[in-house]
């Protein structure tokens, strides 16, 4: 029986970065749900599915067994027993992932696979609805957030570092609008689970956030002993 850490929060809060570091520190598996959706997309393409035949996606998605393992410190995504890491970041796969991820049957199947991973392994999973929908019984639940300005500034700095010209006010506006959409969508809206601990990273470094989550995990495991 695995121990699960669920990290939810709005876009730009640093969930994936933090989740990966927490998983590494604790020797847990970081469940990259995005990579799982890409593996499903690759499977669809390998079966000859295109945008013109996407109506067949729901009927064959359950034939895809997708799992994540760590080998020599590297995340490896397996599709029906095959290492498919090399195929997941192509534009073709990304485009198909956008199509297939919107299918209810695909989301249902991957939800089952994600829960099985969490049942059998110690995992850290991040997203918008991990603690409320995917892993409602997770031992540790974190709602990681930051002010809209802080998140905009982080994104602004990333883009400037790449040599791009951007407007921090426009970035902040987009973030606020995305928060509104995520919190008000019909299926699995973004919200803090009742038993989740709020961690605001606005004034914290990455290391401080990681330390905070690991401290919460250790407190929880003491209670469980």
């Amino acid at each position: 029986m695995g121990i699960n850490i669920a990290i939810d929060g709005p876009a730009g809060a640093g969930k994936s970065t933090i989740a990966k570091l927490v998983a590494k520190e604790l020797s847990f598996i970081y469940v990259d749900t995005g990579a799982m959706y890409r593996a499903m997309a690759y499977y669809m393409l390998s079966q000859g599915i295109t945008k013109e035949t996407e109506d067949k996606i729901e009927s064959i998605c359950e034939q895809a067994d997708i799992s994540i393992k760590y080998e020599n410190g590297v995340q490896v995504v397996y599709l029906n027993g095959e290492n498919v890491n090399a195929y997941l970041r192509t534009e073709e796969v990304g485009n198909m992932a956008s199509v297939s991820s919107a299918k209810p049957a695909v989301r249902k199947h991957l939800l089952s696979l994600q829960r099985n991973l969490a049942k059998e392994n110690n995992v850290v999973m991040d997203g918008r609805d991990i603690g409320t929908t995917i892993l409602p019984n997770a031992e540790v639940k974190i709602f990681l957030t930051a002010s809209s300005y802080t998140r905009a500034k982080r994104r602004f700095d990333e883009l400037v570092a790449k040599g791009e010209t951007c407007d921090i006010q426009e970035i902040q506006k987009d973030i606020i609008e995305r928060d509104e959409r995520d919190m008000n969508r019909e299926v699995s809206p973004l919200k803090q689970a009742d038993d989740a601990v709020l961690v605001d990273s606005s004034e914290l470094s990455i290391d401080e956030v990681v330390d905070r989550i690991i401290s919460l995990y250790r407190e929880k495991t003491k209670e469980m002993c």
Side-chain angles (χ1 to χ4, degrees):
M1 195 72 174
I3 294 177
N4 303 159
I5 299 177
I7 303 178
D8 289 308
K15 299 184 300 295
S16 295
T17 297
I18 298 299
K20 290 174 185 177
L21 291 170
V22 169
K24 182 178 181 180
E25 181 72 20
L26 297 175
S27 297
F28 280 25
I29 291 176
Y30 168 62
V31 179
D32 187 341
T33 55
M36 294 182 77
Y37 275 101
R38 282 178 170 267
M40 177 64 79
Y42 174 70
Y43 175 71
M44 295 301 165
L45 291 170
S46 72
Q47 297 301 303
I49 301 295
T50 66
K51 288 186 177 181
E52 287 69 38
T53 58
E54 63 177 79
D55 56 308
K56 297 180 181 179
I57 288 176
E58 299 201 12
S59 64
I60 68 170
C61 67
E62 291 193 7
Q63 299 170 28
D65 181 31
I66 300 166
S67 62
I68 295 177
K69 298 180 181 179
Y70 275 81
E71 297 176 0
N72 300 319
V74 177
Q75 174 184 278
V76 179
V77 181
Y78 282 94
L79 168 62
N80 294 335
E82 177 190 0
N83 179 343
V84 293
N85 274 20
Y87 311 109
L88 300 186
R89 298 300 169 184
T90 66
E91 184 175 358
E92 186 180 22
V93 167
N95 290 337
M96 178 55 74
S98 179
V99 173
S100 59
S101 64
K103 302 294 184 181
V106 170
R107 299 188 73 85
K108 181 180 178 181
H109 182 54
L110 283 175
L111 171 61
S112 176
L113 294 176
Q114 289 158 5
R115 284 178 173 167
N116 285 338
L117 265 173
K119 182 179 180 181
E120 298 170 2
N121 303 275
N122 296 332
V123 305
V124 180
M125 199 179 300
D126 69 282
R128 306 284 195 284
D129 62 348
I130 308 301
T132 54
T133 302
I134 297 178
L135 300 178
N137 297 316
E139 285 78 6
V140 178
K141 296 182 185 180
I142 306 295
F143 192 83
L144 180 64
T145 190
S147 69
S148 60
Y149 176 79
T150 297
R151 288 181 281 145
K153 182 65 165 59
R154 291 170 181 169
R155 182 60 177 157
F156 175 82
D157 290 343
E158 288 176 3
L159 294 173
V160 169
K162 294 178 181 178
E164 298 184 31
T165 301
C166 51
D167 184 334
I168 192 170
Q169 292 183 334
E170 282 299 314
I171 295 173
Q172 185 175 12
K173 179 175 178 288
D174 289 343
I175 285 174
I176 292 172
E177 290 176 351
R178 182 169 180 178
D179 286 351
E180 187 69 17
R181 289 195 302 271
D182 286 346
M183 289 187 291
N184 291 287
R185 65 188 185 187
E186 290 186 16
V187 180
S188 297
L190 169 66
K191 64 177 182 179
Q192 181 178 340
D194 292 339
D195 53 348
V197 176
L198 177 66
V199 176
D200 189 326
S201 67
S202 299
E203 303 297 330
L204 300 176
S205 68
I206 290 175
D207 288 343
E208 287 173 329
V209 175
V210 171
D211 289 345
R212 171 69 172 140
I213 293 174
I214 289 175
S215 294
L216 290 167
Y217 159 76
R218 287 176 175 155
E219 289 171 9
K220 186 64 177 180
T221 53
K222 285 181 180 178
E223 293 174 8
M224 294 166 58
C225 292

